[in-house]
Amino acid sequence: MAVPAAFFAVFFAWPVAAIVLRGLRADGTWHLGRIADVLVRPDIRHVLWFTTWQALASTALTLLIALPAAYVFARLDFPGKQVLRAVITVPFVLPTVVVGTAFLALVGHGGLLDELWGVRLDTTVWAILLAHVFFNYAVVVRTVGGLWAQLDPRQEEAARMLGASPLRAWRQVTLPALAPAVAAAALMVFLFTFTSFGVVQILGGPTFSTLEVEIYRQTSEVFDLTTAAVLTLLQFAAVGAILAVHAWTVRRRESTLRLVDASVTTRRPRGAGQRALLAGVLATVALLLVLPLAVLVRRSLDAPGFAYYRALTDADGGTFLTAPLNAVWTSLEYAVAATAIALAVGGLAAAALARRDAGRLVRGFDALLMLPLGVSAVTVGFGFLIALDRPPLDLRESWILVPLAQALVGAPFVVRTMLPVLRAVDVRLREAASVLGASPWRVWREVDLPLVRRALLVAAGFAFAVSLGEFGATVFIARPDNPTLPVAVARLLSRPGELNYGQAMALSTILMVVCAAALLLLERARVDRTGEF
């Protein structure tokens, strides 16, 4: 635990504490009295209300739309199922900037709906809610569907034989068993939408603002660090409560269910009802997930002769000090470095947490590892500039600063991916190897590593994808001559002109293809034959 604990202390706790204390102690004096003043401001209360309301609405809408798909993937077997599984997961690993850009191309000015019916939904709450469903659809399908596939169907069949209707059998037998998984999925979706930044920043315009967006505005536009610090503490408290509830639901789910092999619970669709449900899920995936990405690609090809793509090779000397296309190679280099850091930190943390003799302090560190996913990335990025500005850690001019920030987001995914597999390794195998004289390093190399190799590849794929798309912290610390792809897309969208918009679409398409390629490699390295991570 020494390396993970030191990493999170230096590159997460210290920067966040530094920026919060800087805001609460501006001008050399403490401004604790301003905490209450900030919280009672009408505009801040409106931001807090909208943040909570849209997160609840996004969570409910995501569950409503995605739960039928969870059943389809859990219980039905049909051609192309694995390909469709990869398709629905692509939006989750895409950067939120690309998600916002895709929906902007669909519902914004000059978008597909505007062209066909003269309808615009940008700068409306519906665009934000649909984008959140697009982004979190796979969370519900993976979390609920993964458990649903392993529930013994004979329990529901027994209820049917005793006279229960299909609805009553599902409500009284299956739903109670699924409740912890549904709760866990709902809490994860709520966490992601509560801290939403890129989607609201692009689609919300000046009308809508979440806590994350407001922290960014107060920090970079208004320069009110005190208000930003108060909002950060408020978000920190809310996220901590969410993670505590999430940890409780996960423990409950793991300790109360008897599961069976998922490969024996699926079957071909039977009857008109199941065929209609499968058709409805396929139509939803096509309209909600595939269509925005297809429109994004189409808008990038609007100019003849791939003009938008060719323009990416030109340095304009304005927003960029280098050709925008160079952001592709910069992002890949940063993502590779961030993945290596995340694997080292997350792998060591997972190995420590998987030990059966781990103490309560070590187990408590598991929840702390999730905090970077919920704490404002804007705060982390700005905290890097404040805290890491003097020897021995003066990293403001170093290229490693960006991968370090990205690794903070990737490491929790590594832990969540590797921990269940490490816990499943039979401890007697390690003991037998030790009795035969193997050193601890050889035990790890010859017993654990072969068993967790695929999980390690899956973790690397997730870490690479999320590092490639990190935006909130990178937007503060990326150098003008080395922007990452999400930062370059955001800068192009902020500039007027059709050429800049088209280049943003082209760069977003390139980023989408790179993320999709990483996801396909991840699917090929899945840890079991059912395709679940």
Side-chain angles (χ1 to χ4, degrees), residues 210-432:
T210 58
L211 278 174
E212 187 89 359
V213 174
E214 191 62 27
I215 291 171
Y216 173 78
R217 290 176 180 173
Q218 294 293 333
T219 302
S220 63
E221 297 176 8
V222 184
F223 303 107
D224 187 349
L225 295 184
T226 302
T227 299
V230 174
L231 295 181
T232 298
L233 291 175
L234 184 63
Q235 187 182 49
F236 189 86
V239 168
I242 294 170
L243 290 177
V245 176
H246 176 237
W248 177 77
T249 59
V250 169
R251 286 196 302 270
R252 180 184 174 190
R253 180 181 65 182
E254 292 178 343
S255 61
T256 60
L257 297 180
R258 292 179 297 174
L259 307 179
V260 298
D261 187 354
S263 62
V264 302
T265 63
T266 58
R267 64 186 183 185
R268 291 284 184 174
R270 299 178 182 177
Q274 289 189 348
R275 293 189 181 93
L277 180 61
L278 176 59
V281 169
L282 294 177
T284 301
V285 170
L287 293 176
L288 184 63
L289 304 184
V290 178
L291 183 60
L293 300 179
V295 172
L296 177 66
V297 176
R298 172 184 171 272
R299 291 303 301 269
S300 72
L301 299 173
D302 275 349
F306 299 96
Y308 294 145
Y309 288 91
R310 288 189 287 108
L312 295 177
T313 62
D314 299 329
D316 58 13
T319 302
F320 300 100
L321 301 180
T322 183
L325 191 60
N326 290 341
V328 177
W329 311 115
T330 300
S331 291
L332 291 176
E333 292 170 352
Y334 285 161
V336 169
T339 300
I341 298 172
L343 286 177
V345 173
L348 289 172
L353 293 169
R355 291 180 60 89
R356 299 182 185 275
D357 58 348
R360 183 175 299 178
L361 181 62
V362 174
R363 292 194 299 268
F365 190 70
D366 188 14
L368 297 179
L369 292 172
M370 297 291 291
L371 283 179
L373 297 181
V375 173
S376 170
V378 173
T379 301
V380 174
F382 201 39
F384 268 38
L385 299 179
I386 297 297
L388 307 178
D389 64 342
R390 59 178 61 91
L393 284 176
D394 187 359
L395 302 178
R396 288 177 300 174
E397 301 298 326
S398 174
W399 66 272
I400 197 65
L401 198 63
V402 174
L404 286 171
Q406 295 173 345
L408 280 173
V409 182
F413 285 93
V414 174
V415 175
R416 297 269 71 80
T417 303
M418 294 188 62
L419 187 56
V421 181
L422 285 170
R423 283 175 172 167
V425 176
D426 192 339
V427 68
R428 292 173 296 181
L429 296 176
R430 301 189 183 105
E431 293 172 349

Side-chain angles (χ1 to χ4, degrees), residues 86-98:
V87 168
I88 67 170
T89 312
V90 166
F92 180 69
V93 300
L94 285 179
T96 55
V97 172
V98 176

Side-chain angles (χ1 to χ4, degrees), residues 73-155:
F73 280 95
R75 295 302 196 200
L76 302 184
D77 187 21
F78 53 91
K81 182 177 178 179
Q82 298 304 323
V83 175
L84 189 63
R85 188 193 306 278
V87 168
I88 67 170
T89 312
V90 166
F92 180 69
V93 300
L94 285 179
T96 55
V97 172
V98 176
V99 174
T101 305
F103 272 82
L104 195 64
L106 179 64
V107 303
H109 176 67
L112 182 63
L113 295 185
D114 194 10
E115 291 179 359
L116 295 179
W117 299 294
V119 176
R120 291 181 55 187
L121 296 177
D122 58 325
T123 69
T124 68
V125 71
W126 280 109
I128 296 173
L129 295 181
L130 289 176
H132 283 160
V133 175
F134 171 88
F135 185 77
N136 293 292
Y137 189 88
V139 175
V140 177
V141 174
R142 290 282 185 177
T143 304
V144 180
L147 179 62
W148 207 334
Q150 294 180 276
L151 292 181
D152 192 345
R154 291 174 296 182
Q155 298 177 3

